[in-house]
Amino acid sequence: MSVGSGAILVVSEANSTETAIVSSLENSGYLIDVVTAADRCLSIIKVKKPDLIIWSLLSRPDISVLGCIKSKYKNLPVILHADKDSMAQVVTLLNHDADDYFAGGESDSELLNQIVLRTLDNARKKEKMRILEQDQLAGLRVQQGLLPATPATLGGFEFAHFVRPSLIMSGDSVNYVQLGDGRVIFYLADVSGHGASGAIVSAIMSGLFQRLVRKFQHETTATSADMLDWINVELLPLNLEQHITMFLGILNGAQNALQYSNAAHFPAGIVSNDESTLFLELGGLPLGVCDTEYGYHDISIDKSFNLVVFSDGVLEIMSEESIKGKEMQLHLLVQSGNTDIDTLVDHLGLDEISEVPDDVALLTVVRKS
Amino acid sequence: MGKILFAKQGGVHVLKFVGDVRVTFSPTLSDFLAGIGNSKDQKSIVIDLTETLNIDSTSLGLLVKISLRSQETLGVKPTIVSTNEDINRILHSMGFEKVFVILDRTITKCEDLSALPTQSVSESALREQVLQAHKTLMELNEKNRACFCDLVEALEKEQSEDSHNSTVRKAG
């Protein structure tokens, strides 16, 4: 005979079958309480806090009480005890208020035991899942707190971002900060893998970025490549399992200049003005893998300027067959004037799609002439 | 779902990525990485991506680490053979030309080797490496796919051989 633990409330007007069931469950190690009037159920549940309810349909009780119980104690599992005459009721109740049913008699105590064990086990797993989910959501709140305000106007540019995690937490992150001299440093980073492990590393990245800003606050000659070099040197001793790809840029509104460096970020950032739409350069090894030196690129920008950077998760939700085709589609989107975050999210269907295989992040920078 | 296959030929260890390879939750590639340089007959590594449809960022990161470990312990950069335009685009975006010898087409004649770009190693050494890689891949193709086994199997086999060897040593 199976050995169980937990408290069970049996709701039944006592009859011989029910008495046999109660004693067999007691023999299996459960603590049993019996309530003979359905309307007293709620007050007894409050006091006894059972782990499971066995609800007998044999004596035709008022089942509306069951609905009340379920709406108040969502996670309290209910097993119905039914006979041939109440099977139609079982089907309806299984849809909303009951978790399982038992249609046996006195001699089927082992079957009931199995059903009870399984139902309790499922309820415990659900509870564990709920706790884990709460934990992940707490992590998400921390992560969201590390992201900058969106939109935000810095140094004459409007920055905005959108991050859609594949699970609850995300390995994609974005940040932008204005320095004392008016320049704005910004990045979009993607930690390999996703979920909690990616989120931990992106939190490390966020801390590193704050230090980077302090370090380079007054070093006006430092390039975006110097900054990636510095981040890489800081990351290497951590011996992370993951690596980080990053697009890092420095915008200088007064000098109409953008300088950027790439650590294996893909797809390429896209810049546009009133006349043209261009991909920025690719290349560079990911951060946190090996000792390497990064390069940088300088471009001059017009009064009217748009920059859009996507993380590679976006490629996974696009329908074009080849990567080249997807890149061209992104280029076309930007070229057609879809340069603000809401329009892009809308066009890519990021708000509607129910599941994304990889984290997706978008960063937009706009300056209007 | 993709898979990673493994074969050995004349000291060249070949990893073949087939299909849509995602190893986010699998330790096999890191096990392979840890084993580089542990067997005496291992001379170089060839990564065959010609039948790869997609490769995730974790695999790519591990490939970079495989290259670093190969340079450290075997003294050579691994060779990547990749003919899929999409995959080549990703390799380029990850700066792989810095840490691999990348062949973006399969070469069937030795004369074609003169057209290869030069890397940091000497041209003759590079040519030798690429020739070796191709010889290996061609031989493996001729001998058919039976030469390749699942990477997990190969690692398990090596591990049991190792434990066997150490038992023998202890007994001796």
Side-chain angles (χ1 to χ4, degrees):
Chain A
M1 178 153 271
S2 330
V3 177
S5 70
I8 298 175
L9 180 66
V10 178
V11 186
S12 156
E13 283 166 21
N15 65 37
S16 64
T17 311
E18 239 62 83
T19 316
I21 283 173
V22 167
S23 68
S24 100
L25 287 170
E26 268 171 346
N27 288 339
S28 302
Y30 297 104
L31 282 170
I32 309 291
D33 282 294
V34 181
V35 55
T36 50
D39 53 5
R40 288 188 47 230
C41 245
L42 277 168
S43 57
I44 293 186
I45 290 172
K46 208 172 169 184
V47 180
K48 300 279 185 180
K49 298 186 173 61
D51 300 304
L52 174 87
I53 290 183
I54 295 178
W55 186 280
S56 170
L57 297 173
L58 305 188
S59 46
R60 312 285 169 263
D62 176 11
I63 52 163
S64 66
V65 180
L66 198 50
C68 295
I69 295 175
K70 268 294 179 179
S71 63
K72 206 162 173 193
Y73 302 94
K74 231 178 22 231
N75 304 316
L76 179 59
V78 174
I79 295 174
L80 302 169
H81 184 202
D83 54 12
K84 236 174 36 203
D85 299 334
S86 50
M87 283 312 281
Q89 221 174 2
V90 168
V91 177
T92 321
L93 289 172
L94 280 176
N95 273 333
H96 302 287
D97 300 328
D99 298 86
D100 209 338
Y101 76 100
F102 166 68
E106 282 173 56
S107 54
D108 302 311
S109 59
E110 185 54 19
L111 173 64
L112 176 64
N113 245 308
Q114 289 300 333
I115 294 173
V116 167
L117 262 182
R118 207 183 55 187
T119 307
L120 280 173
D121 192 43
N122 280 344
R124 282 169 191 148
K125 277 183 192 144
K126 259 191 214 161
E127 176 62 8
K128 228 173 226 167
M129 277 291 282
R130 195 189 60 79
I131 293 171
L132 278 175
E133 197 178 326
Q134 289 300 317
D135 186 53
Q136 290 275 312
L137 287 170
L140 174 67
R141 279 195 299 279
V142 172
Q143 197 168 33
Q144 283 172 336
L146 295 173
L147 288 171
T150 179
T153 305
L154 303 171
F157 299 91
E158 184 172 289
F159 286 79
H161 66 80
F162 173 89
V163 180
R164 167 78 196 264
S166 167
L167 296 167
I168 295 178
M169 287 192 278
S170 158
D172 285 2
S173 60
V174 174
N175 214 335
Y176 27 80
V177 167
Q178 185 173 3
L179 301 182
D181 60 7
R183 293 179 301 158
V184 185
I185 309 181
F186 62 97
Y187 74 77
L188 187 149
D190 180 352
V191 180
S192 61
H194 52 259
S197 62
I200 292 171
V201 177
S202 76
I204 293 174
M205 192 54 242
S206 175
L208 271 184
F209 186 65
Q210 298 308 320
R211 281 179 52 207
L212 178 137
V213 168
R214 279 198 299 277
K215 176 168 169 58
F216 290 97
Q217 182 73 259
H218 303 293
E219 294 185 29
T220 49
T221 56
T223 65
S224 53
D226 293 332
M227 295 178 186
L228 284 191
D229 286 347
W230 182 85
I231 295 172
N232 193 40
V233 166
E234 291 291 318
L235 284 173
L236 284 176
L238 302 179
N239 277 319
L240 296 171
E241 233 175 68
Q242 302 102 317
H243 61 256
I244 303 173
T245 65
M246 179 181 282
F247 177 90
L248 184 141
I250 305 172
L251 270 167
N252 189 327
Q255 292 182 7
N256 296 315
L258 166 68
Q259 184 178 78
Y260 67 94
S261 291
N262 200 335
H265 178 81
F266 185 76
I270 304 172
V271 287
S272 73
N273 58 22
D274 294 336
E275 281 135 34
S276 64
T277 305
L278 297 169
F279 278 118
L280 297 177
E281 297 291 330
L282 293 171
L285 284 164
L287 296 160
V289 182
C290 62
D291 195 15
T292 182
E293 278 184 12
Y294 291 93
Y296 65 89
H297 308 273
D298 283 312
I299 63 170
S300 54
I301 60 171
D302 281 357
K303 278 274 166 259
S304 141
F305 164 78
N306 298 289
L307 166 65
V308 184
V309 188
F310 304 89
S311 72
D312 64 356
V314 79
L315 303 175
E316 305 226 17
I317 58 157
M318 296 175 72
S319 57
E320 287 75 15
E321 278 209 351
S322 69
I323 289 184
K324 194 117 204 152
K326 294 176 190 200
E327 288 179 275
M328 292 326 294
Q329 182 57 32
L330 292 177
H331 186 276
L332 189 66
L333 256 182
V334 175
Q335 194 174 33
S336 320
N338 302 299
T339 47
D340 74 282
I341 205 94
D342 296 333
T343 321
L344 285 167
V345 167
D346 206 37
H347 269 278
L348 293 164
L350 276 164
D351 270 343
E352 284 133 41
I353 195 164
S354 59
E355 269 181 44
V356 291
D358 189 11
D359 304 327
V360 182
L362 270 67
L363 166 70
T364 59
V365 188
V366 180
R367 183 169 75 174
K368 294 200 172 91
S369 54
Chain B
M1 198 58 200
K3 58 187 168 185
I4 305 171
L5 300 175
F6 174 76
K8 278 194 238 184
Q9 179 78 17
V12 184
H13 287 202
V14 183
L15 284 180
K16 187 176 178 74
F17 288 64
V18 183
D20 187 351
V21 181
R22 285 157 205 270
V23 301
T24 311
F25 301 109
S26 154
T28 33
L29 212 49
S30 7
D31 289 350
F32 174 83
L33 169 66
I36 295 173
N38 289 352
S39 76
K40 276 190 203 131
D41 66 330
Q42 190 178 24
K43 289 196 200 103
S44 62
I45 296 168
V46 174
I47 320 276
D48 181 354
L49 302 181
T50 54
E51 289 180 43
T52 312
L53 290 177
N54 195 10
I55 181 162
D56 72 330
S57 60
T58 308
S59 307
L60 289 165
L62 283 165
L63 284 183
V64 175
K65 288 183 185 170
I66 285 173
S67 166
L68 299 173
R69 177 115 176 113
S70 165
Q71 292 179 52
E72 262 169 43
T73 60
L74 307 174
V76 284
K77 286 182 187 174
T79 307
I80 287 184
V81 185
S82 168
T83 50
N84 174 335
E85 200 186 325
D86 276 354
I87 301 288
N88 286 342
R89 183 120 187 96
I90 294 170
L91 298 183
H92 169 63
S93 80
M94 299 271 293
F96 266 40
E97 57 276 2
K98 284 188 188 157
V99 283
F100 287 96
V101 175
I102 299 181
L103 305 172
D104 54 11
R105 59 210 163 93
T106 45
I107 299 165
T108 46
K109 284 178 290 192
C110 293
E111 304 91 77
D112 291 343
L113 289 174
S114 57
L116 284 171
T118 48
Q119 305 272 332
S120 54
V121 287
S122 81
E123 205 171 335
S124 63
L126 175 76
R127 237 179 251 179
E128 181 54 39
Q129 183 185 344
V130 170
L131 181 63
Q132 186 64 46
H134 273 99
K135 267 188 184 165
T136 308
L137 285 183
M138 277 190 274
E139 281 182 49
L140 286 171
N141 275 339
E142 280 159 22
K143 283 188 185 171
N144 80 42
R145 284 178 172 276
C147 301
F148 280 100
C149 65
D150 194 286
L151 180 59
V152 185
E153 262 170 57
L155 291 171
E156 278 170 357
K157 198 167 152 250
E158 269 176 23
Q159 269 169 3
S160 70
E161 275 167 9
D162 282 355
S163 61
H164 178 67
N165 288 345
S166 62
T167 324
V168 171
R169 255 179 261 127
K170 264 180 219 154

